[in-house]
Amino acid sequence: MESGTLRRIDTWYLPVTESVASAFISHGAVPEASIERAALLAMMLATQRPLGRGDLYRLVDEARQLFDGQPLADGERDLLAQRVVLADMGFGEVAGLLGDQGVAFADVEVMAAEAWLGEDGEFSHGFQAACRETFMEVSVRLEEDLGADDEDGDVERPMAGDQVVEVVRPTFHLRGTTDQVRAVRAIAASSSEHYAITAFAGTGKTHLMFALATSGRRFTHLAPTHAHQHAFNERVGTRAVSSVVLRTLANDMATAHVQGNSIRWVRAPTVREASMPLEARLQAAGIVSIAGDSPARVLAAVDRIINRWCYSDAPQIGPEHVRFNDGLSVDERAAYVAMARRVWELMLQPLGSKTERPFTVRAYHLFKWLDVEGASLPPMGTLLIDEAHDLPAPLLALIRRYPDGCVTMGDPYQKLSGVMANYGSGKALTLTRSVRAGGQAVGLIRSVLGMHSTELVVESLEGSREHYTRRYFYQSTDTLPLAGLRVYESVWSILEDALRLKSQGVPFRLLPATESDLARATEDAIGMRRGDHVTRYYGNREYTSWSALAGHLERIGYSRVVRLFERDFGSTDMQSLLGAQKDAEAEGLTLGLLEHCKSLEFSQVTLWPCCFDTLSGALERRRADERVRAVYLAMSRATDELWLPGDAIDILADRVSRVRGQFT
């Protein structure tokens, strides 16, 4: 997590709700309460010129007294006369003008409690604190299962002789949002329930997970990668709760299953990378041509068939998993099924330590095998699972059968690629209140989520009550801040900008995953110029020559990148660029790709133009949704400032609409 040195500015709340303000703006509906009328007057004046916090307070207080001292009809007439300043503005435009000043509308519950009214009957200075209250302090008691029911249906109680032993239940403290408190209280009530928590970005699911982990109950954290495990252990400590990487869990479960059952293998299958060349792999598996496709293409198709089957509930690979070619005959489809089943058997065969590995085995392959075999997760207490939207479906099948407690936390809008399995297998809870981004930025984020083809979360993301996130719409990249996070869709945009920053002496560094992708992409281009056709970067896999890659870059607007390589930009130049990066802790810019923004937080976040305007009409419909989700992820990293191209939202909406238009 990183943050800049910007001064965080509190949001100032008008004592009127969004619904009352919207009704007045749209239909001229005037409320009866004098405080709400005063707030609407202040709202209208603030759309004409920026008002300071003190000016807003005095204006609301004096206007309230004025409306209190006149008949309702006169006050209504005066307020409607002022409404002319709004002209043809809609609620969204008015809210945007206010948001640029850090002014927002009060929540319904705060107005219902009359928090604006001070003990002296005047407009209370404490109203702002009441509106900003995001967190609450609570003590939560852990309720543990005491035992199985006896024959009469009563719960067995611990006894000492003839006396019932009083059970002392652990209590822990939590400072959290209303959503977080509600979730913790529900989870604390039972150690055996399954809960599926849907949490928007920045709503504190990580904070919730850490609070649970330190509560005293036995928890096991399932980490997607070693990096996640390290971050968790750094925050919680290895003594408080155990953390298990999914790859390790898969290997350990496979070993235990082979050792504890009558299986023909002496050694269990493990997660591993292929080490055998392609031709040898084809020969070892007996891959032959099917339907005119070469053996290599058949193997690629078999990989897709196996992966589709692993993410299904089917116990065996069948014709329904062969979906890449509708023109296949029944016999050809059956041949593909037989080949996929053969490859699956070879994938799982145990190998000696020095034996070449013909096929890669991922953790989700092992989990599928374990699921089909009827294996079960070992006892681990209550499971804590973050990033549940990225969990492999075979593991979710095992989790649903887990007899003890489980808490899965995910955000379906953060599933950046592929199809998300339904991780919600228990009682549903939702976190909607951001503790990171203010309502001004959240309004823009909601407009991006509205471009998604399906509504993945029924509830709406709500902004932080404590501070506002300033929105800036830039026309030129020369005006952008030289701090915080810059986000790009393309590695080629990063290459151009990083070289420019280096030449200007601006401190910068690349996110580690982004640095790796950029290095591979440039190695491809440099190698192709030499006649090397091997591609290392997934974005270049369709191009096998420099002319093909250069033509692609020209078509998508990177002619300067083409000229760069044609002027013999080489490996030494690339190493010089990477070596120019600032230290991780030094001030300056951080550069990263959209898909590498997870789990980050920055005071300032800038989205480069390529994030919005590179969707092609030839792309598949799902890619439009993937871009929407990636832009949402990047925008939600900001706490204090969010910088977007001036026409970013309109451009993204147009690109998404054009892509989807091909399929309607």
Side-chain angles (χ1 to χ4, degrees):
M1 179 180 294
E2 298 199 13
S3 60
T5 57
L6 288 178
R7 181 174 64 91
R8 180 158 294 183
I9 300 177
D10 292 339
T11 300
W12 200 89
Y13 287 89
L14 290 166
V16 64
T17 65
E18 184 175 298
S19 61
V20 171
S22 179
F24 175 75
I25 294 167
S26 303
H27 310 295
V30 179
E32 291 187 8
S34 60
I35 188 67
E36 292 179 323
R37 294 183 176 199
L40 293 175
L41 178 62
M43 174 193 75
M44 290 187 286
L45 293 179
T47 62
Q48 305 306 301
R49 61 183 178 87
L51 296 174
R53 301 306 200 233
D55 293 334
L56 282 167
Y57 176 82
R58 286 190 297 272
L59 177 58
V60 170
D61 191 40
E62 293 170 3
R64 182 194 62 82
Q65 296 179 48
L66 176 64
F67 284 122
D68 265 346
Q70 65 179 170
L72 286 175
D74 292 347
E76 182 176 355
R77 183 182 63 251
D78 293 345
L79 201 60
L80 289 174
Q82 293 287 338
R83 184 170 171 263
V84 68
V85 302
L86 299 180
D88 296 325
M89 284 194 287
F91 175 76
E93 186 176 355
V94 172
L97 290 171
L98 295 176
D100 291 339
Q101 302 173 54
V103 178
F105 301 104
D107 285 351
V108 173
E109 61 268 23
V110 180
M111 290 302 296
E114 294 190 325
W116 62 271
L117 184 61
E119 293 181 359
D120 57 359
E122 304 298 325
F123 182 39
S124 172
H125 284 282
F127 175 69
Q128 298 303 319
C131 287
R132 295 187 193 116
E133 185 59 52
T134 299
F135 299 101
M136 55 191 301
E137 304 274 356
V138 296
S139 295
V140 183
R141 187 178 67 177
L142 291 175
E143 300 286 352
E144 300 292 345
D145 296 335
L146 297 179
D149 292 350
D150 62 20
E151 294 179 358
D152 297 324
D154 296 325
V155 175
E156 295 180 357
R157 303 290 181 177
M159 304 289 290
D162 296 332
Q163 300 295 317
V164 176
V165 178
E166 181 181 354
V167 178
V168 179
R169 306 177 192 281
T171 300
F172 72 103
H173 303 282
L174 171 73
R175 182 175 185 268
T177 64
T178 303
D179 290 340
Q180 291 171 350
V181 169
R182 185 184 302 115
V184 163
R185 282 176 170 161
I187 295 165
S190 173
S191 62
S192 58
E193 287 282 2
H194 282 212
Y195 290 93
I197 299 178
T198 297
F200 285 107
T203 55
K205 62 180 182 294
T206 303
H207 172 73
L208 174 61
M209 180 176 65
F210 291 150
L212 290 169
T214 56
S215 66
R217 179 184 289 169
R218 185 194 176 195
F219 286 96
T220 297
H221 171 247
L222 297 189
T225 66
H226 286 287
H228 286 86
Q229 183 187 55
H230 176 74
F232 181 85
N233 287 336
E234 283 284 308
R235 181 79 171 266
V236 175
T238 55
R239 293 184 179 180
V241 63
S242 62
S243 180
V244 180
V245 178
L246 295 186
R247 174 185 178 129
T248 303
L249 177 63
N251 286 336
D252 289 349
M253 286 183 64
T255 299
H257 185 69
V258 168
Q259 292 176 350
N261 295 273
S262 299
I263 295 180
R264 66 182 186 277
W265 298 332
V266 176
R267 186 183 292 108
T270 61
V271 177
R272 61 198 180 212
E273 293 291 332
S275 60
M276 187 178 288
L278 176 61
E279 290 300 324
R281 194 181 314 164
L282 296 172
Q283 184 175 359
I287 305 292
V288 297
S289 174
I290 299 177
D293 285 335
S294 67
R297 289 178 63 86
V298 169
L299 181 58
V302 163
D303 286 340
R304 296 199 297 273
I305 294 169
I306 291 174
N307 289 344
R308 183 172 292 113
W309 169 65
C310 284
Y311 275 75
S312 73
D313 294 328
Q316 191 175 37
I317 300 171
E320 67 273 19
H321 303 117
V322 185
R323 300 180 187 173
F324 55 88
N325 186 345
D326 294 335
L328 292 175
S329 68
V330 173
D331 289 342
E332 290 167 340
R333 196 173 297 272
Y336 264 112
V337 169
M339 194 65 69
R341 290 178 179 176
R342 173 175 173 76
V343 169
W344 175 250
E345 287 290 330
L346 292 173
M347 287 172 61
L348 294 172
Q349 281 186 356
L351 301 170
S353 59
K354 297 182 180 180
T355 307
E356 281 194 300
R357 297 162 176 80
F359 299 105
T360 294
V361 177
R362 305 294 185 199
Y364 69 86
H365 291 133
L366 275 194
F367 286 131
K368 180 64 176 181
W369 174 71
L370 290 163
D371 181 32
V372 172
E373 286 280 313
S376 298
L377 290 168
M380 294 183 284
T382 299
L383 302 178
L384 283 179
I385 309 171
D386 198 5
E387 306 290 337
H389 45 267
D390 283 331
L391 285 181
L395 174 58
L396 289 170
L398 296 171
I399 290 172
R400 292 187 186 101
R401 298 201 301 265
Y402 186 63
D404 295 326
C406 177
V407 181
T408 56
M409 290 174 275
D411 179 357
Y413 290 112
Q414 290 192 49
K415 178 68 174 177
L416 298 186
S417 62
V419 179
M420 186 187 72
N422 180 20
Y423 66 84
S425 61
K427 295 182 178 179
L429 298 167
T430 307
L431 305 184
T432 61
R433 174 70 65 183
S434 176
V435 295
R436 179 186 298 151
Q440 300 72 20
V442 164
L444 284 175
I445 294 172
R446 283 202 297 252
S447 70
V448 169
L449 291 179
M451 300 177 197
H452 203 271
S453 61
T454 55
E455 186 179 58
L456 301 181
V457 182
V458 176
E459 295 87 348
S460 294
L461 174 66
E462 301 295 332
S464 169
R465 291 172 173 169
E466 295 190 313
H467 72 280
Y468 84 97
T469 303
R470 288 156 285 188
R471 308 171 307 167
Y472 293 100
F473 296 96
Y474 64 87
Q475 303 302 320
S476 168
T477 56
D478 294 333
T479 63
L480 295 176
L482 299 179
L485 174 67
R486 278 191 190 177
V487 188
Y488 311 77
E489 184 275 335
S490 170
V491 291
W492 309 115
S493 286
I494 292 183
L495 179 61
E496 288 182 320
D497 198 28
L499 287 169
R500 182 165 49 247
L501 293 169
K502 178 176 179 287
S503 68
Q504 295 172 353
V506 177
F508 75 93
R509 75 177 180 92
L510 299 160
L511 294 176
T514 297
E515 178 180 345
S516 177
D517 280 1
L518 178 61
R520 289 191 181 98
T522 54
E523 286 172 11
D524 288 350
I526 294 167
M528 288 178 185
R529 285 266 296 149
R530 296 195 305 262
D532 181 2
H533 294 171
V534 176
T535 55
R536 303 162 183 83
Y537 176 56
Y538 65 92
N540 295 336
R541 60 187 180 276
E542 297 180 16
Y543 312 103
T544 58
S545 67
W546 168 246
S547 61
L549 178 60
H552 165 70
L553 294 176
E554 293 275 6
R555 286 191 297 274
I556 61 176
Y558 290 104
S559 57
R560 286 177 298 185
V561 172
V562 174
R563 304 290 89 77
L564 177 72
F565 287 109
E566 289 182 343
R567 291 195 299 269
D568 292 327
F569 180 87
S571 299
T572 302
D573 301 299
M574 190 61 202
Q575 290 304 313
S576 175
L577 176 64
L578 297 179
Q581 296 179 79
K582 67 182 180 68
D583 294 335
E585 303 303 321
E587 294 292 328
L589 274 168
T590 298
L591 315 181
L593 288 169
L594 281 168
E595 61 264 33
H596 298 153
C597 290
K598 287 187 177 183
S599 304
L600 300 177
E601 179 179 305
F602 284 79
S603 179
Q604 297 161 291
V605 173
T606 302
L607 273 71
W608 207 251
C610 62
C611 296
F612 301 93
D613 60 13
T614 55
L615 268 174
S616 167
L619 291 173
E620 299 176 23
R621 177 168 42 189
R622 66 177 177 83
R623 294 294 300 278
D625 278 343
E626 288 174 358
R627 179 63 57 81
V628 167
R629 297 196 294 269
V631 168
Y632 151 74
L633 177 66
M635 291 174 67
S636 62
R637 303 301 98 195
T639 57
D640 299 302
E641 290 184 0
L642 178 61
W643 292 72
L644 303 174
D647 50 1
I649 303 301
D650 290 338
I651 286 179
L652 181 62
D654 176 67
R655 297 292 191 272
V656 169
S657 176
R658 279 199 279 167
V659 169
R660 294 205 182 108
Q662 302 174 96
F663 303 94
T664 57

